[in-house]
Amino acid sequence: MLKSARLVICSSVLLGASLVALPQASFADRALVQSSVNVAATVDGLLGFTATNHEIDTGVTTYDSSTNTYSGTFSLMGSTNQFGITTYEVICNYLSSTTYAGDCSNGWTVSAVSTNVSGGYATMNPSDPNNNFKIKSDATNALSGTSANWLMKIVPISKTVSGSTFAPTATALGYSDFNNVPATDTNVVSGNTFRTISGDSTYIGAESFKVQYGFTAGMDAVAGTYSGEVTYTLHVNTN
């Protein structure tokens, strides 16, 4: 915006019989030029789901990053409740339902399912084709029991933002403690990267949780090598 200067003129004035010419005076405000600049930045949306850390039961199990595999050797009745612990991170910063990812302020859910299933149970299958024994995931059998078993649980990780503490939630299906590895695609943990802080919906950044596996060889396992696999999928909740 450009503002024009004002000019004020004082004309001569007669004083008595004499003509006195008062000096002409002019007054001008300082000219001011204002300029506005618009600054625009675009932040890309990101829907991310990654494994950020792997923990083992030191001296009992190992982790191979090249194959993403936890492994261990057990005698009969050998067991561990920390066969492997994987930390997962969820990032979801969309706030517009026009994006393919949906509106992240409705929260997210992660489901899990075993690759191998037999008789309605997730299984660890033998590498020897002549071995018909499979290790079923059955939460009715304790990890300290005599039946070979493998189980999993969810461990939410808390974070504090602006004085408020938030954490993902293990689903009501019992994954806050060791439970069956799902034989069908099952929601196991949920969260929300947009939380209400001081009455406003606020993006709090990434949320994280751990999946912890337990294993026991029991007294009934046939000698051999067994393997299981679990697939996790991130879902953005709908309205």
Side-chain angles (χ1 to χ4, degrees), residues 72-191:
T73 301
F74 299 83
S75 301
L76 290 178
M77 287 303 292
S79 66
T80 176
N81 61 3
Q82 299 182 67
F83 192 98
I85 304 173
T86 303
T87 301
Y88 290 100
E89 180 183 76
V90 175
I91 299 176
C92 190
N93 67 343
Y94 289 99
L95 191 58
S96 171
S97 59
T98 60
T99 65
Y100 78 94
D103 187 342
C104 290
S105 65
N106 296 312
W108 55 266
T109 301
V110 169
S111 63
V113 62
S114 172
T115 299
N116 304 318
V117 177
S118 178
Y121 293 94
T123 59
M124 298 180 72
N125 291 355
S127 59
D128 185 350
N130 296 313
N131 181 2
N132 294 321
F133 185 82
K134 298 179 180 180
I135 300 177
K136 298 178 180 180
S137 180
D138 185 358
T140 63
N141 298 322
L143 292 174
S144 58
T146 58
S147 297
N149 197 11
W150 64 308
L151 302 171
M152 60 171 274
K153 72 175 181 177
I154 301 296
V155 183
I157 298 176
S158 300
K159 69 182 302 183
T160 300
V161 180
S162 299
S164 298
T165 301
F166 307 99
T169 304
T171 66
L173 299 173
Y175 285 98
S176 57
D177 202 351
F178 283 110
N179 202 348
N180 293 9
V181 175
T184 58
D185 197 37
T186 302
N187 294 336
V188 294
V189 59
S190 61

Side-chain angles (χ1 to χ4, degrees), residues 16 33 37 46 61 102 107 115 138 177 187-188 213 220 234-235:
V33 177
V37 177
L46 176 62
T61 58
T115 299
D138 185 358
D177 202 351
N187 294 336
V188 294
Y213 301 96
D220 57 349
L234 172 65
H235 307 268

Side-chain angles (χ1 to χ4, degrees), residues 20 22 32 35 39 47 64 67 80 116 135 142 147 187 203 211 225:
V20 178
L22 295 179
L32 177 63
S35 176
V39 178
L47 181 59
D64 185 343
T67 59
T80 176
N116 304 318
I135 300 177
S147 297
N187 294 336
Y203 178 61
V211 179
T225 299

